[in-house]
Structures are given as C-alpha cells and as structure tokens.
Amino acid sequence: YMPMILELPIAMLACSRIGVAHSVIFGGFSPDAIRDRCEDADARLVITADAGYRRGEPSGLKANVDIALAGGADTVDNVIVVNRCNTEIEMTGGRDHWWHDLMAGADATCPAEPMDAEQLLYLLYTSGTTAKPKGIMHTTGGYLTQVAFTHKYVFDLQPETDVYWCAADIGWVTGHSYIVYGPLANGCTSVMYEGTPDTPREAERSGPDRSTWRKNRLWDIIDRYGVTQYYTAPTAIRTFMKWGTGELEGHDLSSLRVLGTVGEPINPEAWMWYNEHIGHGNCPIMDTWWQTETGGHMLSPLPGVTTTKPGSACHAIPGVFAELVDDSGNPVTSGGGYLTIARPWPGMLRGLWGDPERYK
C-alpha cells in the first residue's frame, strides 16, 4: 500500500527474490479494501509509507492501514513504514517498523531462491461479478516470459538507447507488467513518476487557485529525460484534450518514437489527437488489449509491422490465438461476436486465490 516511489518495486522484487508472494494495493483504496485483501490472502506483512505526494501535498497512507488492521486482518504480524513525507503518524510498538531502520541493519547480500516456473509470484485483486474482489494468481516463469516478450516487441525496445515511460500506477496490472517486471527483465531505462499530470513546478504556481496552474508536467518530463516510448490510458488522453493544446506550448516531444494506450478501448477522436499533438504524426500508436487475467498484451499492433487503425487493437500478437464466436461458440466471419482466446498463453492467470471452482 505505497505511493509511486522506488521502495515499491524494490519491495516487490525483494519478495520475488526469496519466494514470497506479494499483493500490491492501490494507494487510493480505502481501509475496507485493505482489510478485505489482507484477510483474503492471509497476509503476514504490510509495507506502506507515512504518506505520498499528490499535487505537491502529502496524502496519508499509514493511517488507512491502521484503521484496516484495527478492524480485522488478524494474520498481519508486522507493518513496515517508509518515511516519505515526514508526517506525524502513529507507530504501534512491536508491530510497526521504519524501513530505514531495518535497511540500516540489513545484509547487502541476499542470494536468490531458485523457484519453480509455476511458483506463485503475486496476487492482484480485481473486481468481479460479486462484491468480493477476486485474487488473480500469476506465476513466475510464464508470466515473466510474456511480459518480457511483449514489452520488447510491442514497444520496439532498444535498451541501450531508449528511455521508456509507462505512466500507469503499480497498483494496477499495467504497472506490474510494464513498469516493473517486463522493463526490468529487458534491462530497460525507465521513468517512474509520483503525482498527477496537473502538478506544476514551484515556478508555475501563481497562487493557491489550482485553476491557474500549468498542466504540463508530463510533457516537461518527456522533454527533460528524452522519453522515447510513452504508455498511458485513453482516459488520460481525453483529459489532455480537454485541457487543450496550450499546455503543449514550448514542449518539443521530438524524442518520442512509439506511443501506447492501455486500460480501455480508445475512441478514434482521442487516437487522432494523441497521434497529431503528442506523436506529431511520426509515432506508431500501440493500442494494447489485455486484462489483469491475461497478465500481458494479447491484441496489439506491432510498430513498423502493422497498419494501424484509429480505435482498433488490430490483431493478436504472435503466439496468441483469438477468435470471434457467436452465442453457440461458432466462429464469426463478419459482424460482431464474443472475443475469445482459443489456446493457452504463457501469462494466463493460474487460478483465483482460495476459489479453484470459480476459476474453472
């Protein structure tokens, strides 16, 4: 239950290194959501921060963990707290520990535990048809294969020269697959950002009235670090459209060479705006279709290979076999139908935690 700070992927990788399954909880979730997930997973340890920065101001996290654990989640023995914003928080003796204190006494050497390919890597809870979130299970070998492959080829990654930025939050599967595991497996230089697109630099704050703040933080980051691939959601693109092209003034964005979208279908109008104003007509747009359950990309154009179409995810990637079928399961050759995946794939979910019958 962390902000987008380096300690979050460090903690995830530390878990995977010793064979402990992790379950990241989005920092915007309530104490009830924390409690439900901890109870379902029988969690033993929670890692959090005192707070995280949002529009330049601390937004509390540890207090929500305290409320969640006060109302249940009795399996949790320890809470590790990163001091991110230096805010006043309650520390429960015997249970709560400062990250920096534990790190001061930690050994610099930690050999990796050998893991079976089907060892549980992480749980990620997603809403379903019932009110109770379901714990999606992803395992080590197949998941890593799919996220490394798709990250490399969907974004045409050149790890020696590229600076890649997935602007999702690690609390969602996009952040697991395309901020942490895929890019790091490929030796990729990445940008990670804690905050919102409308967080101005200090020099751009003309006062407490946020309506006057510049909303150009993302374009500033792309120019400053020479970002080559930018991966974001259609919802964000529609927000940028609403803010207007004035926010792009003074920003070159010429380092970009591949753009991506994720999270929902993109409407053609947003696709065209993204293509014209962010990609300047020079960047292929990878409209990726996939889910928490699939682990990684399933349908997507490939840069330099696929003729793209605004609003379309185009084709299944190599190794994925997709079909459109009707109500009876018969293939549809024209018109609409149900999108189905016809064969297993490396990153597919291996179960629902504690509910194998529902998984079947």
Side-chain angles (χ1 to χ4, degrees), residues 220-266:
D220 182 49
I221 290 172
I222 289 171
D223 280 349
R224 212 182 328 163
Y225 297 110
V227 171
T228 49
Q229 291 95 344
Y230 179 63
Y231 193 30
T232 192
T235 300
I237 296 167
R238 288 190 287 271
T239 299
F240 306 149
M241 292 172 67
K242 188 165 58 177
W243 287 346
T245 56
E247 301 297 340
L248 295 164
E249 289 175 6
H251 296 288
D252 185 57
L253 306 184
S254 62
S255 60
L256 290 169
R257 60 185 194 82
V258 178
L259 299 174
T261 71
V262 59
E264 62 190 282
I266 184 169

Side-chain angles (χ1 to χ4, degrees), residues 73-195:
D74 296 332
T75 57
V76 174
D77 298 322
N78 293 284
V79 177
I80 298 176
V81 186
V82 177
N83 185 6
R84 172 59 175 156
C85 300
N86 206 32
T87 59
E88 289 287 331
I89 59 170
E90 294 288 332
M91 295 289 282
T92 300
R95 185 196 72 179
D96 297 349
H97 314 271
W98 287 110
W99 173 289
H100 58 267
D101 288 341
L102 297 177
M103 288 298 292
D107 197 313
T109 302
C110 177
E113 290 289 333
M115 290 296 143
D116 186 87
E118 289 300 295
Q119 171 77 18
L120 178 64
L121 177 64
Y122 69 79
L123 299 179
L124 191 56
Y125 284 85
T126 181
S127 59
T129 52
T130 65
K132 186 175 182 290
K134 57 182 187 289
I136 301 298
M137 298 170 63
H138 282 299
T139 56
T140 301
Y143 172 77
L144 194 61
T145 298
Q146 183 154 353
V147 297
F149 173 86
T150 51
H151 177 258
K152 178 178 174 64
Y153 289 105
V154 170
F155 295 107
D156 184 36
L157 179 71
Q158 309 297 320
E160 299 302 319
T161 53
D162 281 343
V163 177
Y164 161 88
W165 186 12
C166 172
D169 191 289
I170 294 174
W172 311 112
V173 73
T174 302
H176 284 60
S177 299
Y178 298 108
I179 295 177
V180 182
Y181 288 108
L184 292 177
N186 288 329
C188 174
T189 300
S190 298
V191 171
M192 243 180 83
Y193 174 58
E194 174 196 12

Side-chain angles (χ1 to χ4, degrees), residues 8-20 22 47 99 110 181:
L8 173 50
I10 288 168
M12 295 165 69
L13 294 169
C15 289
S16 63
R17 189 170 185 83
I18 62 174
V20 173
H22 61 71
I47 305 177
W99 173 289
C110 177
Y181 288 108

